[in-house]
Amino acid sequence: MTTLRESFGDCRIIVTCGPGGIGKTTSAAALATAIATNEPLRVLVLTVDPARRLADALGVPGIGNEPLDVELAGAGTLSVAMLDPQASWDALIRRQAADEETAERILQNVLYQNITRRFVQSHDYIAMERLHELVGRGQWDLIVVDTPPTRNALDFLDAPTRMADFFSSRFLKWIIAPARSSVTSLAAKPLTYMADKILGNQFLTDITEFFLLLSSLYDGFVERAREVESLLAEESTKFLIVSTPEPIPTREATFFNQELQKRSLRIGGWLVNRMLPAELNLTATATGVAVLAREEMAQVASLIGVDVATMVAARDRMVAITEEYTIVADRERAQLAALAAGDTPVFGAFTAEGEIDTLQGVTSFGQRLLSAERVLKFD
Amino acid sequence: MAFTPLGSRKLLFVTGKGGVGKTTIAAGLARALADEGKSVLLIALDKRSEVGEAFGLTRLSFEPTKVDDHLSVMVLDTEAALQEYLKINLRIPIVAKLGVLANALDFLANAAPGVRELLTIGKLCYEVREKHYDIVIADAPATGHIVGYLAAPEAINSFVRVGLIRNQTDWMVDILHDPAQTGVVAVTTPEEMPILETRQLLATLATETKVAVAAAVMNRMPDIVAHGATLGAIDAIIDERPGIFGNEALRGIVTANQLAVARRREADYQFTTLREVVGGAFPIITQPNIAIVPEGSTMAREVADSLREEIA
């Protein structure tokens, strides 16, 4: 039997990905915490959108763009950082710009501010760029990365390529050509004419200046984008798909699984979170209900100090709830078995309500994830 | 306090954190309002939206698909919207050459901030202005993205000072900023992160846009476990497990009930948190979890049936 930890053996980067709202951030933090507890590794968890509760549980005042150390009594160390897209973009521009003045002009450009602040497509790229930067610092043995919850969950994977394409696109060259030389590119004419008609020439001037400034960053950007891409393709980088047993998250995760496979990226496992516990199964429930039916409710009622009618109502309600939960639990296991028929190792996990409120809880959830055993294939 | 009924508006943006079921709510809301006799256009703003499935439709296109006499569903395709936009607003005919320009336009829509968003908002407002339908419901982008859309006309105004686009944004702003016409429906589930995101959304909407919130929907509210003394008895059993309930054979029963009680408590807590933030500004509609769609029905129908009383 392979455990989830074994499946991610010598990884230096674990990328958790999947649809939104399924406990991806919590899983990433819990895995990192448990690994840092058990093993003499310097672990960093890079989250995108941590809950206040998680920050509290980790005992940090709030999670910022710069890594913070979590106080952990374990074999290794744990740091936590959050992606602040705006700060990361600004830092990137400062790093890549040829000089201070260019950097400032870009940072002050109204288009730049709008793109990075308001329009979220750029967040996908910056998440991966930030990973690259943190890897480059060489301070961690393992980085667990939580990815932005995008509907098209693959945006962040394609972002480096898109960014490189963007900078090398002929259109970008066309649009900045008139500004670069006094001879207006003939090819750009119909486009600039159209853009002018639609957007007005002031806008065109703004956009041209912006792209002209950006183009001075071109070589650096394309190179970085390629490096980010190869980082994701490295042997020591593995993806952990996270979903729940519900139909829509499962469908989205299935799509994700296929796309990762298509790109020949390494998938260490597929974690199905929020499973109902194993003791909820048809046989056990039937046995339990039968045992309960034989009991004298008057006796139980006097034990807990309620009247018999209340006790009978409570028993009936408890049985009804158990039966509902058991049907759902059964359906979940069928779902898990169906997923396990594929090539990706599948792991199931149960999360207790309110479990992640403390560091101890986060750690024990992480331990459970690490020791989760691969769901066997039944042919 | 009586609230303006949701259905009296002309344009609703249904948004929420990924995974909270905003598409399902958008579909149920469209179904419920169409059942009232309104003519409804439901527009998915994301090509990958599964809103069609809620009606048993496998394919959606830019051309609206009629579900019945009162309800049509379409998906917004930026390129098709751009073509329509050029044709209607700028009187630029759909040129065959658009193929040649497609890359450039695509580039523009991707790179020029807000172009994609503006086209989307433009199409929605256009449908409202033309009054082809009584109400337009958008299965909108997730909470993190919605403000970029709602603020697009104004954002464009801030750096496009002249030109045709500039002339085009004013009437959109008029529709968007009129609370009698336009409203956001914020869908959430009673869990920490979705509630947090909803609170952030409400704050951002207030500071960065002038678009009103029409309602919040608390989706997948877990069932009430029990009332009064019965709940007390269940609590006593699951906490103390006296007598028979200590029996290993009853472990499943205790576990299931512990879960049910804990989930409902957490949900109630999260609900209260949101209610405190909202005050009485707009209604919070609760919606139970619908796990199974009966044979012959659709998800939209099931949600509509349980929303009906809440939205009246």
Side-chain angles (χ1 to χ4, degrees), chain A residues 119 171 198-199 202 251 317, chain B residues 53 107 160-161 165 225:
Chain A
F119 301 102
F171 185 69
I198 301 172
L199 298 162
Q202 180 58 47
R251 208 167 338 149
R317 187 67 189 127
Chain B
E53 269 175 48
F107 173 89
V160 181
R161 287 167 203 103
I165 286 266
V225 174

Side-chain angles (χ1 to χ4, degrees), chain A residues 96-152:
Chain A
Q96 297 291 97
D99 50 63
E100 188 104 343
E101 198 206 323
T102 313
E104 279 312 310
R105 281 175 68 193
I106 295 175
L107 298 179
Q108 296 310 321
N109 187 291
V110 70
L111 283 167
Y112 168 78
Q113 292 173 353
N114 263 286
I115 289 179
T116 50
R117 231 173 258 163
R118 254 192 249 268
F119 301 102
V120 204
Q121 285 156 356
S122 59
H123 292 191
D124 299 318
Y125 175 71
I126 203 66
M128 291 300 107
E129 160 63 37
R130 177 93 175 121
L131 170 63
H132 178 274
E133 198 245 307
L134 291 168
V135 169
R137 293 193 195 177
Q139 295 174 7
W140 295 281
D141 304 307
L142 172 69
I143 301 182
V144 183
V145 196
D146 174 31
T147 56
T150 48
R151 172 143 189 102
N152 181 0

Side-chain angles (χ1 to χ4, degrees), chain B residues 76-93:
Chain B
L76 202 113
D77 169 323
T78 322
E79 208 173 308
L82 179 61
Q83 294 209 7
E84 194 185 77
Y85 186 88
L86 293 176
K87 193 176 79 171
I88 296 168
N89 294 311
L90 308 179
R91 298 182 212 301
I92 295 173

